[in-house]
């Protein structure tokens, strides 16, 4: 559809076939970029080669500065920790509301997929997010490939552990009791 009336159509298709390395995900992301006017079809030499390159190109376009990537990195840190991360948990941990999350989701595009699952007897839904493909997670946790868009897995798991510790501590352990493993061991194993 985007190639209607383009004189070098076969050259563009051939270049995309080469650059996609056989990946339908690449083709899908490329078409999405063209439809959103993020990729210029007339500049064939700038087409990204492979999934890693298209991820990097997308992130550079969507987050041109480190400042624009602060909150998105925090969100992505949580999503790398699990197969599905509930949006309520993301918002609670990152300290954002649902509107900020929806804006992020619109910006990040199709690399995240939404899953809705019923919870409880009242029919309420749990909305969670995950990466559309394992290659996205693999790319984003590899600093050599993702560069400044890198997400550190250790930091991500640390953030989750801190969140659980704070919330479990508040709900189940009185404030005057020991809440750290170090203090617990010092007091009970001597």
């Amino acid at each position: 559809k985007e190639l209607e009336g383009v004189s070098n159509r076969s050259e563009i298709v051939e270049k995309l076939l080469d650059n996609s390395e056989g990946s339908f995900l690449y083709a899908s992301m490329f078409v999405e970029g063209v439809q959103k006017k993020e990729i210029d079809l007339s500049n064939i030499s700038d087409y990204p080669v492979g999934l890693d390159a298209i991820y990097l190109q997308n992130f550079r376009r969507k987050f041109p500065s480190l400042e624009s990537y602060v909150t998105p990195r925090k969100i992505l840190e949580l999503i790398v920790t699990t197969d599905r991360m509930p949006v309520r948990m993301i918002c609670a941990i990152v300290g954002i509301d649902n509107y900020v999350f929806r804006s992020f989701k619109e910006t990040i595009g199709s690399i995240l997929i939404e899953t809705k699952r019923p919870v409880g007897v009242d029919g309420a839904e749990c909305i969670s997010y995950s990466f559309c493909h394992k290659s996205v997670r693999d790319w984003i946790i590899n600093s050599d490939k993702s560069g400044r868009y890198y997400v550190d897995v250790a930091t991500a798991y640390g953030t989750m552990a801190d969140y659980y510790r704070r919330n479990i501590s508040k709900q189940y352990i009185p404030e005057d009791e020991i809440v750290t493993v170090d203090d617990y061991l010092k007091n009970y194993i001597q």
Side-chain angles (χ1 to χ4, degrees):
K1 181 177 167 181
E2 278 72 19
L3 293 177
E4 288 179 8
V6 176
S7 62
N8 61 342
R9 181 179 181 175
S10 62
E11 180 185 359
I12 290 172
V13 170
E14 190 64 36
K15 182 71 168 175
L16 290 175
L17 288 172
D18 289 343
N19 288 4
S20 72
E21 300 171 343
S23 170
F24 186 80
L25 180 57
Y26 175 99
S28 173
M29 291 181 74
F30 190 91
V31 168
E32 178 185 4
V34 170
Q35 290 172 337
K36 290 182 173 182
K37 307 284 189 241
E38 297 170 342
I39 295 176
D40 180 8
L41 276 176
S42 65
N43 201 350
I44 295 175
S45 63
D46 283 347
Y47 291 0
V49 178
L51 278 174
D52 292 343
I54 204 161
Y55 294 151
L56 187 58
Q57 187 181 66
N58 282 341
F59 271 67
R60 282 182 179 151
R61 237 186 345 268
K62 294 167 192 285
F63 309 109
S65 68
L66 288 177
E67 294 79 28
S68 66
Y69 191 59
V70 172
T71 299
R73 173 176 275 130
K74 290 177 183 178
I75 294 169
L76 293 168
E77 280 179 352
L78 299 176
I79 295 171
V80 301
T81 64
T82 184
D83 289 340
R84 288 186 200 93
M85 177 59 67
V87 69
R88 285 186 180 181
M89 187 174 252
I90 292 169
C91 291
I93 295 171
V94 176
I96 59 174
D97 61 26
N98 196 41
Y99 300 111
V100 172
F101 180 82
R102 293 290 172 189
S103 177
F104 159 78
K105 173 63 176 102
E106 188 175 301
T107 300
I108 202 76
S110 64
I111 70 162
L112 293 181
I113 55 172
E114 179 180 281
T115 305
K116 295 179 181 180
R117 304 219 181 229
V119 291
V121 292
D122 62 356
E125 288 184 323
C126 176
I127 300 171
S128 58
Y129 287 87
S130 58
F131 292 111
C132 66
H133 194 267
K134 182 183 177 305
S135 64
V136 178
R137 184 185 187 279
D138 292 346
W139 175 81
I140 206 165
I141 65 172
N142 183 323
S143 63
D144 293 334
K145 292 181 178 183
S146 58
R148 69 181 184 180
Y149 303 106
Y150 168 68
V151 169
D152 181 54
V153 176
T155 299
Y157 284 118
T159 300
M160 290 298 297
D162 289 344
Y163 173 79
Y164 287 129
R165 183 183 50 79
R166 279 191 315 272
N167 286 287
I168 290 171
S169 296
K170 286 180 186 177
Q171 291 178 2
Y172 301 107
I173 302 172
E175 296 226 1
D176 59 341
E177 288 192 23
I178 301 159
V179 293
T180 66
V181 173
D182 187 41
D183 289 341
Y184 178 83
L185 292 174
K186 286 178 185 174
N187 284 317
Y188 292 100
I189 302 179
Q190 296 213 7

